[in-house]
């Protein structure tokens, strides 16, 4: 809804959801928004079908449910395949901070893949006491737009202080620089 609200007249947002109940809710929420296309499909399949866009520019938000075994292992392959098709695109990959091991593996795989300009943005609301409990989230941004890094470095500490006074922590760093 935020992306749709911020879309310019020339933008063509596409939202993909595979789960039938979630798709119905998304479709109902987007009804009446003229330029957004809502598709009941697997987002990974949509990457293959929709990239590259005819404009040769765009933002791809990848927000998996992380409910399937092997989801963290699949992400680097899918992101690399999408990047190969559309190397100038901006990719934002959301991930939960529950268990550090899968996230660390994801980051290692992406670092080893040879990508450049991969920014890590994380917000931790509580210290990690045990795996399996959501204590924050992160986003890996491939090809962030000009000025984005500085904006995140300014905004994230404030967001952490507002959402978790005294215990919140924000991190913005280059996982893989230029």
């Amino acid at each position: 809804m935020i992306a749709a609200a911020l879309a310019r007249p020339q933008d063509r947002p596409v939202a993909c959801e595979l789960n039938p109940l979630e798709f119905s809710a998304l479709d109902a929420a987007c009804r009446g928004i003229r330029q957004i296309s809502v598709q009941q499909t697997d987002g990974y399949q949509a990457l293959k079908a929709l990239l590259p866009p005819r404009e040769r520019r765009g933002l791809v938000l990848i927000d998996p449910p992380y409910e399937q075994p092997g989801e963290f292992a699949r992400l680097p392959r899918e992101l690399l395949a999408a990047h190969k098709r559309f190397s100038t695109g901006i990719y934002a990959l959301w991930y939960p901070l529950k268990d550090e091991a899968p996230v660390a593996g994801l980051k290692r795989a992406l670092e080893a893949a040879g990508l450049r300009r991969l920014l890590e943005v994380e917000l931790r609301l509580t210290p990690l006491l045990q795996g399996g409990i959501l204590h924050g989230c992160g986003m890996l941004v491939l090809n962030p737009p000009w000025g984005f890094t500085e904006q995140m470095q300014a905004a994230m500490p404030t967001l952490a202080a507002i959402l978790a006074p005294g215990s919140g922590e924000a991190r913005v760093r280059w996982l893989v620089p230029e």
Side-chain angles (χ1 to χ4, degrees), residues 117 119 121 144-157 172-174 178:
R117 302 194 69 235
L119 185 70
V121 180
W146 183 85
F148 180 81
T149 304
E150 293 78 14
Q151 290 174 346
M152 290 298 98
Q153 288 170 332
M156 292 302 291
V172 178
R173 70 178 185 105
W174 286 102
E178 297 201 34

Side-chain angles (χ1 to χ4, degrees), residues 122-140:
E122 287 187 351
L123 177 62
R124 296 170 186 267
L125 300 178
T126 62
L128 177 62
L129 301 174
Q130 60 187 12
I133 297 173
L134 185 67
H135 68 278
C137 64
M139 188 163 282
L140 294 171

Side-chain angles (χ1 to χ4, degrees), residues 11-176:
D11 293 336
R12 297 181 301 113
V14 178
C16 302
E17 177 57 57
L18 187 58
N19 180 293
L21 292 174
E22 296 297 328
F23 170 77
S24 293
L26 178 64
D27 190 45
C30 292
R31 207 164 285 137
I33 301 174
R34 60 179 157 70
Q35 68 203 72
I36 191 165
S37 168
V38 181
Q39 301 178 8
Q40 186 174 6
T41 188
D42 180 282
Y44 296 125
Q45 295 302 317
L47 287 174
K48 293 173 181 75
L50 298 173
L51 296 181
R54 65 176 177 251
E55 298 87 356
R56 305 299 295 175
R57 343 171 355 150
L59 166 67
V60 177
L61 171 62
I62 303 172
D63 179 11
Y66 296 98
E67 295 170 350
Q68 301 294 321
E71 189 88 51
F72 278 98
R74 183 180 185 188
L75 285 167
R77 291 190 312 271
E78 299 291 350
L79 182 60
L80 289 170
H83 184 260
K84 190 175 278 189
R85 294 176 57 87
F86 181 40
S87 63
T88 58
I90 300 165
Y91 295 86
L93 171 61
W94 181 88
Y95 55 90
L97 291 171
K98 288 183 178 182
D99 185 357
E100 297 291 326
V103 173
L106 170 66
K107 291 176 187 177
R108 279 192 307 274
L110 291 173
E111 284 177 296
L115 296 171
R116 293 284 164 256
R117 302 194 69 235
L118 184 61
L119 185 70
E120 172 189 69
V121 180
E122 287 187 351
L123 177 62
R124 296 170 186 267
L125 300 178
T126 62
L128 177 62
L129 301 174
Q130 60 187 12
I133 297 173
L134 185 67
H135 68 278
C137 64
M139 188 163 282
L140 294 171
V141 183
L142 178 60
N143 296 332
W146 183 85
F148 180 81
T149 304
E150 293 78 14
Q151 290 174 346
M152 290 298 98
Q153 288 170 332
M156 292 302 291
T158 303
L159 186 60
I162 291 169
L163 294 177
S167 64
E169 178 188 335
R171 176 167 43 188
V172 178
R173 70 178 185 105
W174 286 102
L175 191 63
V176 181

